Amino acid sequence: MSEKDQQAVQEFFGPRAAGWEDKFSGDQPRYDAATGVLGLRPGDRVLDAGCGTGRALAPLRERVGPGGTVVGVDLTPQMLREAAAKGRGRYGALVLADVARLPLRDGACDAVFGAGLVSHLPGPETGLRELARVTRPAGLLALFHPLGRAALAARRGRELSEDDVRAEARLTPLLAATGWRLVSYADEEERYLAVAVREPERAAAG
């Protein structure tokens, strides 16, 4: 992500961090449920990419247990400060970093969770390819939002568009080009959840 793109993301999320969860106070059970699709086991290593205020960290920790590894990465310092203030640092490490340039070794993660992530990646190919790099072969990626695309568009007063990167017709080839294969897709009123598996033979493409 370019410096200009990083600044744009930080300028958008930074001022909103303090009251971010107040707007979406009923979403936690959906986060809890969504983490279940990753099939995490005790001792696994999981990344919350674009973790924001860290709503997924507690359920991820519960699934990997005390012997597992949970890392929450976000580009916006204010979001990470909110996560820390809410005590979520006890569930996993909070790391300030760009999802497109992660401070993790190849294959470091068994799975990746990304809530509201892909639509905020200025160059989604770069970010998704980097997530593939840090995920082991056959590891899973879950792209989640507590609202489906139509409900989210309505909330924002916009029309639903098939140009949206989260639309299945757009997302499927994007994932395929960046080291992933889409294995399930749900776009419902109260949940958007796309799950992909890391394809070893494509992880190094591009």
Side-chain angles (χ1 to χ4, degrees):
M1 193 183 300
S2 71
E3 186 175 337
K4 181 179 179 181
D5 287 334
Q6 288 184 1
Q7 184 177 355
V9 169
Q10 291 169 339
E11 287 178 352
F12 178 84
F13 285 105
R16 294 168 170 81
W20 186 255
E21 289 190 38
D22 296 338
K23 301 177 183 178
F24 316 108
S25 57
D27 290 348
Q28 190 61 48
R30 300 176 201 174
Y31 276 79
D32 297 347
T35 62
V37 305
L38 292 172
L40 293 167
R41 297 170 295 184
D44 276 352
R45 304 156 300 173
V46 61
L47 170 67
D48 185 357
C51 67
T53 57
R55 283 175 289 182
L57 296 179
L60 291 173
R61 170 57 66 190
E62 183 177 354
R63 295 181 187 282
V64 303
T69 300
V70 178
V71 178
V73 168
D74 204 274
L75 186 61
T76 306
Q78 295 95 320
M79 284 289 189
L80 293 177
R81 285 199 289 270
E82 278 294 302
K86 293 178 183 299
R88 288 168 180 159
R90 67 182 180 271
Y91 302 120
L94 299 172
V95 179
L96 181 66
D98 183 351
V99 167
R101 289 196 297 263
L102 292 166
L104 299 171
R105 61 177 173 79
D106 294 359
C109 303
D110 294 296
V112 177
F113 185 80
L117 174 68
V118 69
S119 58
H120 290 288
L121 294 174
E125 296 88 350
T126 302
L128 290 170
R129 189 173 290 116
E130 177 69 347
L131 294 177
R133 180 188 70 78
V134 303
T135 304
R136 65 165 175 80
L140 295 182
L141 166 69
L143 298 174
F144 167 74
H145 197 284
L147 287 177
R149 293 172 55 243
L152 186 60
R155 174 185 282 182
R156 295 173 174 172
R158 300 175 182 172
E159 295 291 327
L160 183 62
S161 170
E162 288 307 307
D163 288 335
D164 182 353
V165 70
R166 295 164 299 175
E168 187 173 9
R170 282 207 61 197
L171 185 64
T172 301
L174 176 61
L175 288 168
T178 54
W180 302 97
R181 175 172 54 86
L182 187 68
V183 293
S184 69
Y185 183 90
D187 185 8
E188 304 159 353
E189 179 72 16
E190 296 188 345
R191 182 184 70 156
Y192 174 90
L193 186 60
V195 181
V197 62
R198 198 267 210 182
E199 294 272 69
E201 69 275 15
R202 297 188 181 183

